[in-house]
């Protein structure tokens, strides 16, 4: 069985490498929003799928400066240093990672996060207070998954606890608690995020997440597509190799209205 899964995965990996990647073209696409340059970070399995997700995915290159990247790195490193990278849980959606959350930030980082929230979330949208920080080792990667944020009433019934469910929940009682939007800053490394339509895996798009860029996923791109961060040896964008080093993401989420 495991061998079968491995062979199927290998075939799918080769398929992604072989398949040509569609980009927005200057002619013929009535849905294209701006100059071609605007979408250099986006490619996919067909023009149709690009048009379908175009309103729901966004990458803003160079959203933060090198100094700002440094400030964020210094601040998150304090929380990360104490933890070890997790490699062992075969059923985790993330391989080779450590993570932390941060509610209070210094002035520089707070103003970066204000900028992120201003461009990513509708005005007045309730936000998840703590910012999620995910540190992927060079050998780490994120497998395809759909986020499901749950509020869990713990057995003590004494407090609510935000639980990010990747594969399964250990809580006694929980209910769906997803916001429409996720916004992530990428530090230290370029990477490729792949979105695959949940009910038709032939439909996919790749986002090139350059170091210091901000990505935003909204609505269907968040709930009807799985997302993943490719491992180093599979990290290609539109046929071009994108070496994956250690990568830290700083992720803001909103709550449902
Ligand atoms: C996650 C996730 C993406 C990223 O933590 O669920 O998909 O950019 N992270 O790190
Ligand atoms: Mn996720």
């Amino acid at each position: 069985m495991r061998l079968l899964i491995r062979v199927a995965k290998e075939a799918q990996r080769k398929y992604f490498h072989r398949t040509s990647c569609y980009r927005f073209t200057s002619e013929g696409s009535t849905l294209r929003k701006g100059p071609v340059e605007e979408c250099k970070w986006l490619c996919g399995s067909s023009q149709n799928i690009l048009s379908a997700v175009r309103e729901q995915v966004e990458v803003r290159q160079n959203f933060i400066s090198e100094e700002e990247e440094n400030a964020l790195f210094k601040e998150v490193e304090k929380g990360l240093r104490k933890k070890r990278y997790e490699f062992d849980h075969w059923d985790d959606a993330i391989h080779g990672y450590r993570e932390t959350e941060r509610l209070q930030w210094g002035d520089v980082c707070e103003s970066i996060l204000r900028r992120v929230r201003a461009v990513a979330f509708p005005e007045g949208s309730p936000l998840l207070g703590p910012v999620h920080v995910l540190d992927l080792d060079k050998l780490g990667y994120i497998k395809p998954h759909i986020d499901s944020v749950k509020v869990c009433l713990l057995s003590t019934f004494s407090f609510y606890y935000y639980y990010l469910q990747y594969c399964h929940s250990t809580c006694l009682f929980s209910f769906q608690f997803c916001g429409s939007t996720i916004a992530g800053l990428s530090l230290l490394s370029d990477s490729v995020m792949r979105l695959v339509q949940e009910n038709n895996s032939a439909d996919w798009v790749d986002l090139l997440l350059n170091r210091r860029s901000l990505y935003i996923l909204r609505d269907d791109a968040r709930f009807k597509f799985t997302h993943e961060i490719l491992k180093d040896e599979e990290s290609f964008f539109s046929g071009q190799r994108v070496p994956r080093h250690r990568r830290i993401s700083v992720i803001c989420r909103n709550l449902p209205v």
Side-chain angles (χ1 to χ4, degrees):
M1 184 62 181
R2 283 199 172 187
L3 183 68
L4 207 65
I5 293 170
R6 191 138 33 96
V7 169
K9 280 191 175 162
E10 185 63 15
Q12 194 182 35
R13 199 171 65 77
K14 284 194 176 136
Y15 169 80
F16 278 120
H17 279 203
R18 225 176 336 132
T19 319
S20 54
C21 200
Y22 285 83
R23 311 285 286 265
F24 280 108
T25 51
S26 44
E27 287 119 42
S29 173
T30 49
L31 286 154
R32 196 178 61 77
K33 276 285 140 84
V36 174
E37 287 68 35
E38 199 191 303
C39 294
K40 267 188 175 158
W41 43 266
L42 179 64
C43 76
S45 53
S46 68
Q47 286 293 344
N48 280 348
I49 197 68
L50 291 174
S51 301
V53 300
R54 179 62 192 95
E55 299 293 311
Q56 293 153 19
V57 300
E58 195 178 334
V59 178
R60 298 193 177 207
Q61 312 216 44
N62 295 309
F63 189 80
I64 55 170
S65 66
E66 285 179 34
E67 292 74 35
E68 289 174 323
E69 179 189 38
N70 241 323
L72 282 167
F73 175 69
K74 274 203 189 125
E75 203 152 332
V76 301
E77 180 72 349
K78 284 181 249 163
L80 293 169
R81 238 193 336 242
K82 302 175 207 141
K83 318 214 167 158
R84 260 191 288 169
Y85 288 102
E86 304 274 347
F87 280 97
D88 309 329
H89 304 295
W90 62 271
D91 61 341
D92 269 354
I94 312 185
H95 180 80
Y97 73 102
R98 51 190 184 176
E99 62 188 336
T100 183
E101 269 183 357
R102 210 171 169 82
L103 193 55
Q104 303 288 343
W105 297 81
D107 290 347
V108 176
C109 296
E110 190 56 53
S111 84
I112 300 167
L113 293 169
R114 257 201 307 275
R115 253 166 56 217
V116 170
R117 289 172 174 139
V119 301
F121 303 108
E123 219 179 306
S125 158
L127 304 179
L128 193 66
V131 174
H132 180 205
V133 178
L134 183 73
D135 180 359
L136 274 185
D137 180 77
K138 176 168 174 61
L139 298 176
Y141 56 94
I142 304 182
K143 300 174 198 170
H145 69 283
I146 293 179
D147 291 338
S148 137
V149 181
K150 300 200 162 190
V151 175
C152 302
L153 193 54
L154 293 180
S155 51
T156 58
F157 292 97
S158 60
F159 65 102
Y160 286 94
Y161 174 68
Y162 293 100
Y163 181 72
L164 233 178
Q165 190 203 33
Y166 289 121
C167 297
H168 51 251
S169 165
T170 51
C171 297
L172 282 183
F173 170 71
S174 64
F175 52 93
Q176 197 83 22
F177 207 71
C178 285
S180 60
T181 307
I182 180 174
L185 290 166
S186 299
L187 315 183
L188 307 184
S189 176
D190 299 340
S191 60
V192 178
M193 177 178 274
R194 175 163 297 152
L195 308 184
V196 180
Q197 195 153 52
E198 199 186 15
N199 53 19
N200 180 6
S201 61
D203 284 339
W204 54 270
V205 298
D206 281 351
L207 310 182
L208 176 63
L209 306 183
N210 282 131
R211 180 176 183 178
R212 295 190 291 278
S213 66
L214 172 73
Y215 72 83
I216 304 167
L217 304 183
R218 299 190 171 93
D219 305 320
D220 284 358
R222 187 141 155 61
F223 300 122
K224 296 198 174 148
F225 288 74
T226 60
H227 57 273
E228 62 193 289
I229 294 284
L230 303 183
K231 59 173 82 162
D232 181 42
E233 68 256 36
E234 293 173 10
S235 188
F236 287 82
F237 177 80
S238 192
Q240 297 286 313
R241 173 100 173 101
V242 179
R244 248 290 319 287
H245 309 286
R246 177 186 175 197
R247 169 185 185 267
I248 295 178
S249 49
V250 176
I251 304 165
C252 300
R253 294 177 161 90
N254 66 351
L255 297 170
V257 270

